[in-house]
Amino acid sequence: MDRILIRGGKALKGNIQIGGAKNAALPLMAASLLTGETLSLSNLPHLADISTMAKLLAELGVDISMDGDASNGGNDGRVFAMTAGNLDNTTAPYDLVRKMRASVLVLGPMLARAGRARVSLPGGCAIGTRPVDLHLQALQQLGADIELSEGYIEARAPTGLTGAKVTFPMVTVGGTENLLMAASLAKGETVLANAAREPEVADLAHCLVAMGAEIDGIGTGTLTIQGKDALHGAEYAVVPDRIETGTYAVAAAITGGDLTISGARADLSEAVNKVLTSAGVDIAPTNDGIRVTRADGGLRGVDIMTEPYPGFPTDMQAQVMALMAVADGASMMTETIFENRFMHVPELCRMGADINVHGASAIVRGVKKLSGAQVMATDLRASVSLVLAGLAAEGETVINRVYHLDRGYERLVDKLSACGADIRRESE
Ligand code: UD1
């Protein structure tokens, strides 16, 4: 298994190109199941999760041809042309679903188009139980017949789905996405209330509109969908990754560096930018992104609570905690989206951070310096927070279980080392 070695203390300087958002790309790929025509997606990031989704779609009979290459340091991303001719196989098997929870996003489109879907239950994962009950309840409200049997979700709608008013009891990104796709091919009108407003949900909605869907309220908490008999092919470019953007903004801040982050959409990161600015980081708009520098006065602790969009994203909590670990003063960080999302805390403490967890809150008391250590993490964002801490720490940090990073950060080591980080990857 590969590991990453970092010698901290180098201020990062230079330019980093942001790729397409993983969390937008995954539902967009699943949307290819909604039509027999070709959906062509560009700006797809080169990531393990994207390959897992491609494998799953291929298993379901989607013909995928690849074009474009993100591995050359360019910013063109990959292009996938996906054609779901006939959905002969409607089973998403355990082996693929267990690798990635987002596999459950094939449920809504497959059920709506083929009238049946069999999807392995994703099960628990490292950041809490993360059930899919809200997806299932909402699909039932559209008339789906759903049973759980032998670890699989068995969903049927032999005469198609029918529009309904669905009010989500809590905001769910994946649930909203599954329902948006299903409702696009349902009979009549569907209203999704308390829908997720994340930019990745809006990206999916815009792509569905390009495929012929009729959706009102995009970007708001109420989505109204007029179902269509069929959707058609389209070409669509994936929105830039706001979490990758925020992660590199923290890299600039934690090392006292100066990074231009190209291709970033500052308007999608307002909550994160506000926190970083209050912490003493300068963020200025550029022609095609942002420039992040650390203001002269050093870093200050800021209190943070994760919330659904437009609130502060849970996917940035671990990275900003690494930053708060070296800020002046204390910071209270409260996680309201996922239980058990503080797995990075003991590892940051091994690097000299002073952090105490009380229930859903962590009190971070800033220390002058972190020191390098052997660490490992059990999820994507936790892993990258250790990379960020390592960039600022004295001495060598060794990060094990690098495969988590490959799920969500394209060419992380290359991008950081091009900006002066002393970082390398090696096979054990
Ligand atoms: C998506 C993102 C993930 C991000 C999360 C919250 C993708 C591929 N992943 O995950 O990176 O951290 O949004 O912004 O886009 N819940 C239920 N029942 C359900 C569904 C969700 O109880 O049926 C709970 C979850 O356990 C969690 C909360 O609702 O506590 C939010 O989860 P959700 O928004 O659905 O997250 P994901 O779509 O899985």
Side-chain angles (χ1 to χ4, degrees), residues 23 101-102 130-135 170-174 314-315 337-338 341:
N23 286 355
R101 251 187 70 84
R130 296 181 83 175
V132 290
D133 55 325
L134 303 177
H135 303 225
M170 66 192 278
V171 175
T172 159
V173 173
T314 174
D315 285 352
I337 308 292
F338 291 113
R341 206 177 193 177

Side-chain angles (χ1 to χ4, degrees), residues 23-29 31 34 39 41 173 176-184 192 195-226 231-232 234-239:
N23 286 355
L26 296 171
L28 287 169
M29 289 172 73
L34 288 165
L39 174 64
L41 296 176
V173 173
T176 304
E177 291 166 344
N178 241 332
L179 266 287
L180 252 181
M181 291 187 273
S184 296
L192 303 177
R197 288 179 280 166
E198 268 64 6
E200 295 75 20
V201 176
D203 209 39
L204 171 65
H206 286 302
C207 178
L208 293 173
V209 169
M211 294 168 74
E214 201 180 321
I215 304 172
D216 279 337
I218 297 176
T220 75
T222 305
L223 295 165
T224 306
I225 304 111
Q226 309 298 338
L231 297 185
H232 52 69
E235 289 184 5
Y236 194 79
V238 180
V239 70

Side-chain angles (χ1 to χ4, degrees), residues 7 136 193 245 264 277 317 323:
R7 285 215 157 263
L136 305 187
T245 302
T277 306
Q317 181 253 106
L323 185 68

Side-chain angles (χ1 to χ4, degrees), residues 17 46 68-78 410-411 414-415:
Q17 179 69 43
H46 192 163
D69 183 7
S71 59
N72 60 5
N75 60 350
D76 47 349
R78 291 183 143 194
E410 183 175 324
R411 297 187 304 106
D414 294 349
K415 288 186 183 186

Side-chain angles (χ1 to χ4, degrees), residues 32 63 75 79 138 153 232:
S32 68
D63 181 68
N75 60 350
V79 180
I153 303 161
H232 52 69

